[in-house]
Every structure is written in C-alpha cells, then in structure tokens.
Short mmCIF file of all heavy atoms in Angstrom, two decimals:
data_model
loop_
_atom_site.label_atom_id
_atom_site.label_comp_id
_atom_site.label_asym_id
_atom_site.label_seq_id
_atom_site.Cartn_x
_atom_site.Cartn_y
_atom_site.Cartn_z
N THR A 1 12.11 23.06 0.72
CA THR A 1 13.21 22.33 1.36
C THR A 1 13.64 22.98 2.67
O THR A 1 14.35 22.37 3.47
CB THR A 1 14.44 22.22 0.44
OG1 THR A 1 14.99 23.53 0.21
CG2 THR A 1 14.09 21.56 -0.88
N GLN A 2 13.26 24.23 2.89
CA GLN A 2 13.64 24.94 4.10
C GLN A 2 12.50 25.03 5.11
O GLN A 2 12.72 24.83 6.30
CB GLN A 2 14.14 26.36 3.75
CG GLN A 2 15.32 26.36 2.79
CD GLN A 2 16.46 25.50 3.29
OE1 GLN A 2 16.97 25.72 4.39
NE2 GLN A 2 16.88 24.53 2.50
N ARG A 3 11.30 25.31 4.64
CA ARG A 3 10.19 25.49 5.57
C ARG A 3 9.67 24.16 6.10
O ARG A 3 9.28 24.06 7.26
CB ARG A 3 9.05 26.28 4.90
CG ARG A 3 9.41 27.74 4.63
CD ARG A 3 8.25 28.58 4.17
NE ARG A 3 8.67 29.97 4.00
CZ ARG A 3 8.98 30.53 2.83
NH1 ARG A 3 8.88 29.82 1.72
NH2 ARG A 3 9.38 31.79 2.77
N LEU A 4 9.63 23.12 5.26
CA LEU A 4 9.07 21.85 5.73
C LEU A 4 9.89 21.25 6.87
O LEU A 4 9.30 20.87 7.90
CB LEU A 4 8.94 20.86 4.57
CG LEU A 4 8.22 19.56 4.92
CD1 LEU A 4 6.77 19.82 5.32
CD2 LEU A 4 8.27 18.57 3.76
N PRO A 5 11.23 21.13 6.76
CA PRO A 5 11.96 20.56 7.90
C PRO A 5 11.87 21.41 9.16
O PRO A 5 11.91 20.88 10.28
CB PRO A 5 13.40 20.46 7.39
CG PRO A 5 13.47 21.35 6.20
CD PRO A 5 12.10 21.37 5.60
N ARG A 6 11.75 22.71 9.01
CA ARG A 6 11.59 23.57 10.20
C ARG A 6 10.25 23.32 10.87
O ARG A 6 10.12 23.56 12.08
CB ARG A 6 11.74 25.04 9.80
CG ARG A 6 13.19 25.48 9.58
CD ARG A 6 13.25 26.87 8.96
NE ARG A 6 14.60 27.42 8.99
CZ ARG A 6 15.57 27.12 8.16
NH1 ARG A 6 15.36 26.21 7.22
NH2 ARG A 6 16.78 27.67 8.27
N LEU A 7 9.28 22.87 10.11
CA LEU A 7 7.96 22.63 10.66
C LEU A 7 7.79 21.24 11.23
O LEU A 7 7.27 21.06 12.33
CB LEU A 7 6.88 22.88 9.59
CG LEU A 7 5.43 22.77 10.02
CD1 LEU A 7 5.09 23.87 11.04
CD2 LEU A 7 4.49 22.86 8.82
N ILE A 8 8.26 20.22 10.51
CA ILE A 8 8.00 18.83 10.92
C ILE A 8 9.26 18.04 11.25
O ILE A 8 9.17 16.87 11.63
CB ILE A 8 7.18 18.07 9.85
CG1 ILE A 8 7.99 17.88 8.57
CG2 ILE A 8 5.87 18.78 9.57
CD1 ILE A 8 7.32 16.96 7.55
N GLY A 9 10.43 18.65 11.12
CA GLY A 9 11.68 17.96 11.40
C GLY A 9 12.37 17.47 10.13
O GLY A 9 11.72 17.20 9.11
N LYS A 10 13.69 17.35 10.20
CA LYS A 10 14.48 17.04 9.01
C LYS A 10 14.19 15.66 8.44
O LYS A 10 14.04 15.49 7.23
CB LYS A 10 15.98 17.17 9.35
CG LYS A 10 16.89 16.94 8.15
CD LYS A 10 18.31 17.40 8.44
CE LYS A 10 19.02 16.51 9.42
NZ LYS A 10 20.47 16.84 9.54
N SER A 11 14.11 14.66 9.30
CA SER A 11 13.92 13.29 8.79
C SER A 11 12.57 13.13 8.10
O SER A 11 12.49 12.54 7.02
CB SER A 11 14.06 12.29 9.93
OG SER A 11 13.90 10.96 9.48
N ARG A 12 11.51 13.63 8.71
CA ARG A 12 10.19 13.53 8.11
C ARG A 12 10.14 14.31 6.79
O ARG A 12 9.52 13.89 5.82
CB ARG A 12 9.11 14.03 9.06
CG ARG A 12 8.77 13.03 10.16
CD ARG A 12 7.74 13.60 11.10
NE ARG A 12 7.27 12.59 12.03
CZ ARG A 12 6.84 12.86 13.26
NH1 ARG A 12 6.85 14.12 13.71
NH2 ARG A 12 6.40 11.90 14.04
N ALA A 13 10.79 15.48 6.78
CA ALA A 13 10.80 16.28 5.56
C ALA A 13 11.53 15.55 4.44
O ALA A 13 11.08 15.55 3.28
CB ALA A 13 11.45 17.64 5.82
N LYS A 14 12.64 14.91 4.75
CA LYS A 14 13.36 14.15 3.73
C LYS A 14 12.51 12.99 3.22
O LYS A 14 12.51 12.70 2.00
CB LYS A 14 14.68 13.61 4.30
CG LYS A 14 15.76 14.67 4.44
CD LYS A 14 17.05 14.05 4.98
CE LYS A 14 18.16 15.08 5.02
NZ LYS A 14 19.41 14.52 5.56
N ASP A 15 11.78 12.35 4.10
CA ASP A 15 10.89 11.26 3.68
C ASP A 15 9.91 11.76 2.62
O ASP A 15 9.75 11.14 1.57
CB ASP A 15 10.14 10.74 4.92
CG ASP A 15 9.10 9.68 4.60
OD1 ASP A 15 9.04 9.20 3.44
OD2 ASP A 15 8.33 9.31 5.51
N LEU A 16 9.28 12.90 2.89
CA LEU A 16 8.27 13.41 1.95
C LEU A 16 8.89 13.95 0.66
O LEU A 16 8.39 13.69 -0.43
CB LEU A 16 7.44 14.50 2.63
CG LEU A 16 6.59 14.05 3.83
CD1 LEU A 16 5.82 15.23 4.41
CD2 LEU A 16 5.63 12.94 3.42
N ILE A 17 9.98 14.69 0.79
CA ILE A 17 10.57 15.32 -0.40
C ILE A 17 11.30 14.33 -1.29
O ILE A 17 11.16 14.36 -2.51
CB ILE A 17 11.51 16.47 0.03
CG1 ILE A 17 10.69 17.62 0.66
CG2 ILE A 17 12.30 17.00 -1.16
CD1 ILE A 17 11.53 18.71 1.29
N LEU A 18 12.08 13.44 -0.70
CA LEU A 18 12.87 12.52 -1.52
C LEU A 18 12.02 11.45 -2.19
O LEU A 18 12.33 11.01 -3.29
CB LEU A 18 13.96 11.86 -0.66
CG LEU A 18 14.96 12.83 0.00
CD1 LEU A 18 16.04 12.05 0.74
CD2 LEU A 18 15.56 13.79 -1.01
N THR A 19 10.94 11.04 -1.54
CA THR A 19 10.04 10.07 -2.17
C THR A 19 9.03 10.73 -3.07
O THR A 19 8.52 10.11 -4.01
CB THR A 19 9.28 9.24 -1.12
OG1 THR A 19 8.40 10.10 -0.38
CG2 THR A 19 10.24 8.54 -0.17
N GLY A 20 8.70 11.99 -2.78
CA GLY A 20 7.65 12.68 -3.54
C GLY A 20 6.26 12.15 -3.23
O GLY A 20 5.30 12.42 -3.97
N ARG A 21 6.13 11.39 -2.14
CA ARG A 21 4.84 10.77 -1.87
C ARG A 21 3.81 11.77 -1.36
O ARG A 21 4.16 12.85 -0.87
CB ARG A 21 5.00 9.63 -0.87
CG ARG A 21 5.28 10.04 0.57
CD ARG A 21 5.42 8.81 1.46
NE ARG A 21 5.66 9.15 2.85
CZ ARG A 21 4.71 9.38 3.74
NH1 ARG A 21 3.44 9.31 3.38
NH2 ARG A 21 5.02 9.67 5.00
N LYS A 22 2.56 11.39 -1.47
CA LYS A 22 1.45 12.22 -1.03
C LYS A 22 0.90 11.66 0.28
O LYS A 22 0.98 10.47 0.55
CB LYS A 22 0.35 12.26 -2.09
CG LYS A 22 0.86 12.80 -3.44
CD LYS A 22 -0.13 12.54 -4.57
CE LYS A 22 0.46 13.00 -5.90
NZ LYS A 22 -0.41 12.66 -7.04
N LEU A 23 0.36 12.55 1.09
CA LEU A 23 -0.22 12.11 2.36
C LEU A 23 -1.55 12.78 2.59
O LEU A 23 -1.81 13.87 2.07
CB LEU A 23 0.73 12.40 3.52
CG LEU A 23 1.04 13.86 3.88
CD1 LEU A 23 1.54 13.93 5.33
CD2 LEU A 23 2.11 14.45 2.95
N GLY A 24 -2.39 12.10 3.34
CA GLY A 24 -3.72 12.61 3.64
C GLY A 24 -3.74 13.49 4.88
O GLY A 24 -2.73 13.67 5.57
N ALA A 25 -4.93 14.02 5.18
CA ALA A 25 -5.07 14.99 6.25
C ALA A 25 -4.76 14.39 7.63
O ALA A 25 -4.17 15.06 8.49
CB ALA A 25 -6.49 15.56 6.23
N GLU A 26 -5.14 13.13 7.85
CA GLU A 26 -4.91 12.52 9.16
C GLU A 26 -3.42 12.43 9.46
O GLU A 26 -2.96 12.81 10.55
CB GLU A 26 -5.56 11.14 9.22
CG GLU A 26 -5.40 10.46 10.58
CD GLU A 26 -6.08 9.09 10.64
OE1 GLU A 26 -6.74 8.69 9.67
OE2 GLU A 26 -5.92 8.42 11.68
N GLU A 27 -2.65 11.95 8.49
CA GLU A 27 -1.21 11.88 8.70
C GLU A 27 -0.61 13.27 8.80
O GLU A 27 0.29 13.51 9.64
CB GLU A 27 -0.53 11.10 7.58
CG GLU A 27 0.98 10.95 7.78
CD GLU A 27 1.69 10.23 6.66
OE1 GLU A 27 1.02 9.80 5.69
OE2 GLU A 27 2.93 10.09 6.73
N ALA A 28 -1.09 14.19 7.97
CA ALA A 28 -0.57 15.56 7.99
C ALA A 28 -0.76 16.19 9.37
O ALA A 28 0.14 16.88 9.88
CB ALA A 28 -1.26 16.40 6.92
N GLU A 29 -1.91 15.95 9.98
CA GLU A 29 -2.15 16.50 11.32
C GLU A 29 -1.25 15.81 12.35
O GLU A 29 -0.71 16.45 13.25
CB GLU A 29 -3.60 16.34 11.71
CG GLU A 29 -3.94 16.97 13.06
CD GLU A 29 -5.41 16.83 13.43
OE1 GLU A 29 -6.02 15.80 13.05
OE2 GLU A 29 -5.92 17.73 14.11
N SER A 30 -1.04 14.50 12.19
CA SER A 30 -0.27 13.75 13.18
C SER A 30 1.19 14.16 13.21
O SER A 30 1.86 14.06 14.25
CB SER A 30 -0.39 12.24 12.92
OG SER A 30 0.36 11.86 11.77
N ILE A 31 1.73 14.64 12.08
CA ILE A 31 3.13 15.05 12.05
C ILE A 31 3.30 16.55 12.18
O ILE A 31 4.42 17.07 12.10
CB ILE A 31 3.84 14.55 10.77
CG1 ILE A 31 3.26 15.20 9.51
CG2 ILE A 31 3.81 13.03 10.68
CD1 ILE A 31 4.01 14.85 8.22
N GLY A 32 2.20 17.26 12.35
CA GLY A 32 2.28 18.71 12.56
C GLY A 32 2.29 19.54 11.29
O GLY A 32 2.56 20.74 11.34
N LEU A 33 1.98 18.93 10.15
CA LEU A 33 1.95 19.68 8.90
C LEU A 33 0.73 20.60 8.85
O LEU A 33 0.78 21.68 8.28
CB LEU A 33 1.94 18.71 7.71
CG LEU A 33 1.91 19.33 6.31
CD1 LEU A 33 3.10 20.26 6.09
CD2 LEU A 33 1.89 18.22 5.25
N VAL A 34 -0.40 20.16 9.41
CA VAL A 34 -1.58 21.02 9.54
C VAL A 34 -1.96 21.10 11.01
O VAL A 34 -1.67 20.21 11.81
CB VAL A 34 -2.77 20.52 8.69
CG1 VAL A 34 -2.40 20.45 7.22
CG2 VAL A 34 -3.25 19.16 9.17
N ASN A 35 -2.65 22.19 11.35
CA ASN A 35 -3.03 22.45 12.74
C ASN A 35 -4.41 21.93 13.11
O ASN A 35 -4.65 21.53 14.26
CB ASN A 35 -2.99 23.95 13.03
CG ASN A 35 -1.63 24.56 12.78
OD1 ASN A 35 -1.36 25.02 11.68
ND2 ASN A 35 -0.77 24.54 13.79
N ARG A 36 -5.33 21.97 12.16
CA ARG A 36 -6.71 21.53 12.41
C ARG A 36 -7.20 20.77 11.20
O ARG A 36 -6.85 21.10 10.07
CB ARG A 36 -7.66 22.71 12.65
CG ARG A 36 -7.25 23.73 13.68
CD ARG A 36 -7.61 23.34 15.09
NE ARG A 36 -7.59 24.48 15.99
CZ ARG A 36 -6.49 25.07 16.45
NH1 ARG A 36 -5.31 24.63 16.08
NH2 ARG A 36 -6.57 26.09 17.29
N VAL A 37 -8.06 19.78 11.44
CA VAL A 37 -8.71 19.04 10.36
C VAL A 37 -10.21 19.05 10.63
O VAL A 37 -10.65 18.87 11.78
CB VAL A 37 -8.20 17.59 10.27
CG1 VAL A 37 -9.01 16.78 9.27
CG2 VAL A 37 -6.73 17.57 9.88
N ALA A 38 -10.98 19.28 9.58
CA ALA A 38 -12.44 19.33 9.71
C ALA A 38 -13.09 18.66 8.52
O ALA A 38 -12.46 18.50 7.46
CB ALA A 38 -12.93 20.78 9.83
N SER A 39 -14.33 18.24 8.68
CA SER A 39 -15.08 17.71 7.54
C SER A 39 -15.30 18.83 6.53
O SER A 39 -15.27 20.01 6.90
CB SER A 39 -16.44 17.15 8.01
OG SER A 39 -17.20 18.18 8.59
N PRO A 40 -15.51 18.50 5.26
CA PRO A 40 -15.65 19.54 4.24
C PRO A 40 -16.74 20.57 4.58
O PRO A 40 -16.56 21.78 4.34
CB PRO A 40 -16.01 18.75 2.99
CG PRO A 40 -15.35 17.43 3.18
CD PRO A 40 -15.48 17.15 4.65
N ASP A 41 -17.85 20.12 5.16
CA ASP A 41 -18.93 21.06 5.47
C ASP A 41 -18.64 21.91 6.70
O ASP A 41 -19.32 22.92 6.93
CB ASP A 41 -20.26 20.30 5.66
CG ASP A 41 -20.20 19.31 6.82
OD1 ASP A 41 -19.15 18.64 6.98
OD2 ASP A 41 -21.19 19.22 7.56
N ARG A 42 -17.61 21.55 7.46
CA ARG A 42 -17.24 22.32 8.64
C ARG A 42 -15.94 23.07 8.47
O ARG A 42 -15.51 23.80 9.38
CB ARG A 42 -17.10 21.37 9.84
CG ARG A 42 -18.40 20.88 10.43
CD ARG A 42 -18.99 21.93 11.38
NE ARG A 42 -18.02 22.27 12.42
CZ ARG A 42 -17.99 23.47 13.03
NH1 ARG A 42 -18.85 24.41 12.68
NH2 ARG A 42 -17.09 23.73 13.97
N LEU A 43 -15.29 22.91 7.32
CA LEU A 43 -13.96 23.48 7.11
C LEU A 43 -13.93 24.98 7.34
O LEU A 43 -13.10 25.49 8.10
CB LEU A 43 -13.45 23.14 5.70
CG LEU A 43 -12.12 23.78 5.31
CD1 LEU A 43 -11.00 23.29 6.22
CD2 LEU A 43 -11.80 23.48 3.85
N TRP A 44 -14.82 25.70 6.67
CA TRP A 44 -14.76 27.16 6.76
C TRP A 44 -15.12 27.64 8.16
O TRP A 44 -14.52 28.59 8.66
CB TRP A 44 -15.64 27.79 5.70
CG TRP A 44 -15.26 29.22 5.44
CD1 TRP A 44 -15.95 30.33 5.78
CD2 TRP A 44 -14.05 29.68 4.84
NE1 TRP A 44 -15.25 31.46 5.43
CE2 TRP A 44 -14.08 31.09 4.84
CE3 TRP A 44 -12.94 29.02 4.29
CZ2 TRP A 44 -13.05 31.86 4.32
CZ3 TRP A 44 -11.91 29.80 3.76
CH2 TRP A 44 -11.97 31.19 3.79
N ASP A 45 -16.07 26.99 8.81
CA ASP A 45 -16.40 27.36 10.18
C ASP A 45 -15.20 27.16 11.09
O ASP A 45 -14.94 28.00 11.97
CB ASP A 45 -17.57 26.50 10.69
CG ASP A 45 -18.90 26.85 10.04
OD1 ASP A 45 -19.02 27.98 9.52
OD2 ASP A 45 -19.80 25.99 10.05
N GLN A 46 -14.47 26.07 10.89
CA GLN A 46 -13.28 25.81 11.71
C GLN A 46 -12.22 26.87 11.47
O GLN A 46 -11.59 27.37 12.41
CB GLN A 46 -12.73 24.43 11.40
CG GLN A 46 -11.47 24.05 12.16
CD GLN A 46 -11.72 23.81 13.63
OE1 GLN A 46 -11.60 24.73 14.43
NE2 GLN A 46 -12.10 22.60 13.99
#
C-alpha cells in the first residue's frame, strides 16, 4: 500500500489494490510497474 502508489501514483495504485485485479506485462510496463519486458527466451539476457 506504500510502495505501489509511490511507484505508479495513488489513483492507479488504488485501482489495482481495491479491485484486486491482475494485469499483464504490457499494461505493467505502460504504467511504470516494470522497467523492461522481454520474451521468455530473452528475459535473462535482458
């Protein structure tokens, strides 16, 4: 509840925490939750 809003903003964090919904890598990258996305065979290289 403290680290997520500091990373992606309060409103987006409330959306994820209050709904409990799951999101994929593309959306996670678009909102700044992850920094890089790679195919499974390229993940470790990335």
Side-chain angles (χ1 to χ4, degrees):
T1 65
Q2 302 306 303
R3 291 189 177 99
L4 187 63
R6 282 170 168 79
L7 184 65
I8 66 172
K10 183 166 71 171
S11 181
R12 283 178 172 150
K14 285 182 176 179
D15 176 8
L16 295 180
I17 292 172
L18 301 184
T19 65
R21 72 180 180 89
K22 301 167 185 175
L23 66 159
E26 182 178 355
E27 182 182 359
E29 184 179 32
S30 72
I31 65 174
L33 180 58
V34 300
N35 302 91
R36 309 276 198 285
V37 172
S39 61
D41 61 320
R42 284 278 305 152
L43 175 63
W44 199 250
D45 289 339
Q46 179 70 268

